[in-house]
């Protein structure tokens, strides 16, 4: 066992090295935002995928060596083989379908999902198994559903998107059950999910359709007023469900989409001021909001009670420094709700703050790839969709990581592609699937027309 402990200590530097190499390679594809090259794309693709596999094998080897029983070791090997096989098969399939243009996006997602798997396997084997199942289902949807139902992704279906969004938000009032103070969870026929996660997709679809070709439309004030009323109704229902994290995410997404659609900064600024007032009202109206704000302001005042989660998360991030304690050598299980709200703190504790920063940079890479895809779109609707989906991923990351780092009060949402949560992973994969669909469609049209597009 002493030999294994030594290998775990050394692995900290190996994990950090592979993570840094991976992100440097990823950002070499970020033109026009970042401009440097490390060689031919085909070689960089091979090296990036090798980094993912080495990261996966290294994590699996440590978890296998530290497993307390034969049954647990068999489960770890089974999960590891299934996930690695899924990565390899998807890579082969994309190459076979001649969809190499979107490989960078999927490599980033593979990397994030693999880190998620390693940490979940470390913390909760059953949740790691479920996450793999959701990943495989989500990839099937992301890769093929947009192509099959692409004709439904058009601005003329705005009313359909609106009613679907309302339906998703209303559903918890009918079938909902309370979890962690919010009534945003629904279970139907034994299948549990968060409707507001699916509502994010249809909400962005509605806003993209609503602001499509805004500058060429008459009655601009009416269009703006309609979007404000609809979003206000959504936010009120989320507040009544006490899903304040969801309300914050929807509200900020609307303000950004409002600015992109109208090209007017004044309206979002008014919205931010209104949101500040609403936050103050929420503080006085909801007891669990006051608890979270007080824990944010001074968690040390009640370190054994309401401030316990915040303090344990800060200890996890700050104790072991850049390279972490080593996988399995920390105590992340001390953090309440660690696999969802605080998985970022857990991975920083054991894999190191370098890997934590790389995770954030990888999500930034997804955002840049989405913006890059938006730049080449020929129609406003597609531009708004690409931007809207990556805005949601970026805002989710900002909100949850900001809460974990005690920059803002903690809200119960997931870190995209990393936190445990089948609905969240499924929806995030679906959103990126739609982004890659429009990028692929535009590039195919450009090549058919003999035009050159900077990829």
């Amino acid at each position: 066992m002493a030999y294994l402990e030594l290998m775990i200590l050394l692995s900290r530097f190996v994990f950090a090295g592979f993570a840094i190499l991976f992100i440097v390679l990823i950002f070499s594809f970020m033109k026009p935002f970042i401009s440097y090259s490390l060689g031919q794309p085909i070689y960089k693709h091979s090296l990036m995928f090798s980094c993912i596999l080495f990261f996966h094998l290294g994590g699996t080897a440590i978890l296998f060596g530290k497993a307390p029983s034969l049954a647990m070791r068999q489960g770890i090997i089974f999960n590891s083989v299934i996930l690695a096989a899924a990565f390899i098969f998807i890579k082969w399939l994309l190459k076979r379908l001649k969809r190499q243009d979107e490989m960078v996006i999927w490599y980033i997602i593979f990397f994030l999902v693999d880190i998620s798997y390693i940490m979940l396997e470390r913390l909760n084997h059953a949740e790691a198994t479920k996450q793999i199942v959701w990943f495989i289902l989500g990839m099937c949807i992301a890769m093929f559903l947009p192509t099959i139902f692409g004709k439904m992704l058009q601005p003329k279906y705005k009313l359909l998107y609106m009613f679907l969004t309302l339906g998703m938000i209303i559903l918890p009032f009918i079938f909902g059950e309370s979890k962690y103070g919010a009534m945003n969870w629904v279970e139907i026929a034994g299948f549990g999910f968060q409707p507001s996660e699916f509502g994010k997709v249809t909400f962005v679809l509605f806003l993209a359709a609503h602001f499509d070709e805004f500058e060429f439309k008459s009655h601009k004030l009416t269009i703006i007023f309609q979007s404000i009323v609809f979003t206000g109704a959504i936010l009120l229902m989320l507040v009544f469900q006490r899903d304040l994290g969801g309300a914050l995410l929807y509200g900020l997404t609307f303000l950004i989409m409002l600015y992109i659609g109208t090209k007017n900064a004044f309206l979002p600024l008014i919205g931010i001021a209104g949101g500040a007032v609403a936050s103050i009202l929420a503080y006085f109206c909801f007891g669990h909001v006051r608890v979270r704000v007080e824990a944010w302001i001074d968690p040390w005042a009640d370190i054994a009670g309401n401030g316990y989660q915040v303090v344990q998360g800060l200890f996890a991030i700050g104790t072991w420094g850049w390279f972490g304690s080593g996988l399995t050598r920390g105590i992340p299980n001390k953090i309440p709700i660690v696999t969802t709200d605080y998985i970022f703190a857990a991975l920083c504790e054991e894999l190191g703050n370098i890997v934590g920063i790389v995770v954030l940079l990888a999500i930034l890479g997804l955002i840049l790839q989405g913006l890059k895809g938006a730049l080449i779109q020929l129609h406003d609707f597609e531009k708004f969709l690409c931007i809207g989906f990556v805005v949601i991923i970026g805002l989710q990351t900002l909100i949850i990581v900001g809460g974990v780092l005690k920059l803002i009060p903690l809200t119960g949402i997931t870190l995209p592609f990393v936190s445990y949560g089948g609905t969240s992973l499924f929806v995030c994969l679906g959103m990126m699937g739609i982004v890659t669909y429009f990028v692929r469609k535009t590039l195919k049209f450009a090549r058919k027309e003999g035009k050159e597009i900077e990829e």
Side-chain angles (χ1 to χ4, degrees):
M1 293 299 293
Y3 174 76
L4 179 59
E5 291 297 324
L6 177 61
M7 294 305 296
I8 293 173
L9 288 172
L10 292 175
S11 72
R12 301 177 304 156
F13 307 104
V14 176
F15 283 139
F18 277 122
I20 292 170
L21 175 60
F22 177 82
I23 206 66
V24 169
L25 289 167
I26 283 294
F27 272 79
S28 69
F29 289 93
M30 297 301 164
K31 295 178 182 178
F33 306 107
I34 296 172
S35 183
Y36 67 88
S37 178
L38 297 174
Q40 294 296 318
I42 187 171
Y43 300 118
K44 291 191 288 186
H45 283 181
S46 297
L47 193 52
M48 285 188 294
F49 195 68
S50 298
C51 286
I52 296 168
L53 289 182
F54 277 121
F55 214 103
H56 181 76
L57 293 173
T60 299
I62 292 172
L63 294 170
F64 179 86
K66 296 288 286 188
S69 66
L70 177 61
M72 183 63 75
R73 290 182 176 182
Q74 290 173 339
I76 289 169
I77 289 297
F78 179 80
N79 282 348
S80 179
V81 169
I82 292 296
L83 186 58
F87 290 160
I88 293 168
F89 176 75
I90 294 166
K91 178 178 181 292
W92 171 83
L93 188 61
L94 288 169
K95 187 176 181 181
R96 189 68 181 266
L97 296 173
K98 297 181 179 179
R99 289 166 58 173
Q100 290 93 334
D101 297 318
E102 58 198 75
M103 284 301 299
V104 174
I105 287 176
W106 297 120
Y107 283 151
I108 295 173
I109 291 173
F110 290 173
F111 178 76
L112 294 172
V113 168
D114 195 55
I115 287 182
S116 171
Y117 163 71
I118 290 170
M119 291 311 304
L120 289 177
E121 191 70 78
R122 155 75 173 103
L123 297 165
N124 189 313
H125 173 70
E127 290 184 351
T129 303
K130 292 177 184 177
Q131 195 83 337
I132 292 172
V133 173
W134 278 107
F135 170 70
I136 293 172
L137 291 175
M139 285 302 303
C140 292
I141 296 297
M143 291 187 67
F144 300 111
L145 201 66
T147 303
I148 297 171
F149 294 99
K151 291 184 178 179
M152 295 297 295
L153 300 173
Q154 296 183 33
K156 65 181 180 180
Y157 296 112
K158 181 179 76 170
L159 288 178
L160 174 63
Y161 305 145
M162 183 182 73
F163 286 119
L164 285 174
T165 305
L166 287 172
M168 289 295 107
I169 302 301
I170 291 171
L171 205 57
F173 290 112
I174 304 171
F175 301 102
E177 57 182 70
S178 180
K179 281 194 176 185
Y180 307 117
M183 192 181 66
N184 60 351
W185 189 265
V186 167
E187 187 165 331
I188 301 175
F191 175 71
F193 64 100
Q194 284 183 274
S196 61
E197 289 287 339
F198 293 100
K200 292 186 301 189
V201 179
T202 53
F203 183 62
V204 171
L205 283 164
F206 166 79
L207 292 177
H210 193 69
F211 291 117
D212 180 50
E213 302 290 347
F214 175 82
E215 65 268 29
F216 301 114
K217 293 180 179 179
S218 58
H219 308 297
K220 289 182 171 59
L221 289 177
T222 302
I223 294 169
I224 294 171
F225 180 73
Q226 289 172 344
S227 67
I228 291 173
V229 170
F230 176 72
T231 304
I234 295 294
L235 296 183
L236 278 176
M237 285 188 281
L238 289 171
V239 169
F240 284 133
Q241 294 169 15
R242 298 192 176 186
D243 185 4
L244 301 185
L248 180 61
L249 181 62
Y250 273 73
L252 290 176
T253 300
F254 168 70
L255 293 178
I256 293 173
M257 294 289 284
L258 179 64
Y259 171 70
I260 294 169
T262 63
K263 299 177 178 64
N264 187 326
F266 181 68
L267 294 171
L269 289 175
I270 294 176
I272 291 171
V277 173
S279 299
I280 295 171
L281 291 175
Y283 175 82
F284 289 104
C285 293
F286 299 106
H288 74 288
V289 174
R290 288 194 295 275
V291 168
R292 290 192 174 187
V293 171
E294 289 163 6
W296 167 61
I297 293 172
D298 187 11
W300 315 99
D302 189 13
I303 194 171
N306 294 328
Y308 181 78
Q309 184 185 37
V310 176
V311 170
Q312 288 297 323
L314 293 175
F315 278 146
I317 295 171
T319 301
W320 294 100
W322 293 112
F323 297 99
S325 64
L327 187 60
T328 72
R329 295 187 74 249
I331 49 172
N333 281 314
K334 292 283 186 180
I335 309 172
I337 324 178
V338 65
T339 58
T340 53
D341 293 2
Y342 267 80
I343 198 165
F344 182 76
L347 72 89
C348 285
E349 179 179 8
E350 294 202 339
L351 298 178
N353 291 337
I354 288 178
V355 174
I357 291 171
V358 167
V359 166
L360 298 182
L361 290 174
I363 294 173
L364 174 61
L366 275 184
I367 295 169
L368 293 179
Q369 284 291 299
L371 296 178
K372 183 179 174 181
L375 289 175
I376 66 173
Q377 298 304 315
L378 304 176
H379 304 288
D380 287 346
F381 177 71
E382 287 84 354
K383 288 180 186 291
F384 292 157
L385 276 188
C386 291
I387 294 172
F389 288 145
V390 296
V391 160
I392 283 183
I393 289 172
L395 287 174
Q396 267 191 240
T397 303
L398 181 65
I399 292 168
I400 187 60
V401 174
V404 170
L405 295 176
K406 210 178 86 66
L407 299 175
I408 60 174
L410 182 70
T411 57
I413 61 176
T414 55
L415 180 60
F417 304 103
V418 181
S419 292
Y420 171 69
T423 311
S424 174
L425 179 60
F426 188 85
V427 168
C428 286
L429 288 170
M431 288 191 295
M432 295 313 300
I434 293 174
V435 171
T436 57
Y437 165 74
F438 282 119
V439 171
R440 184 168 67 254
K441 181 180 174 183
T442 302
L443 291 175
K444 184 177 179 181
F445 175 79
R447 286 163 184 158
K448 184 178 179 181
E449 297 293 317
K451 298 177 181 179
E452 289 293 330
I453 292 181
E454 182 68 30
E455 298 177 25

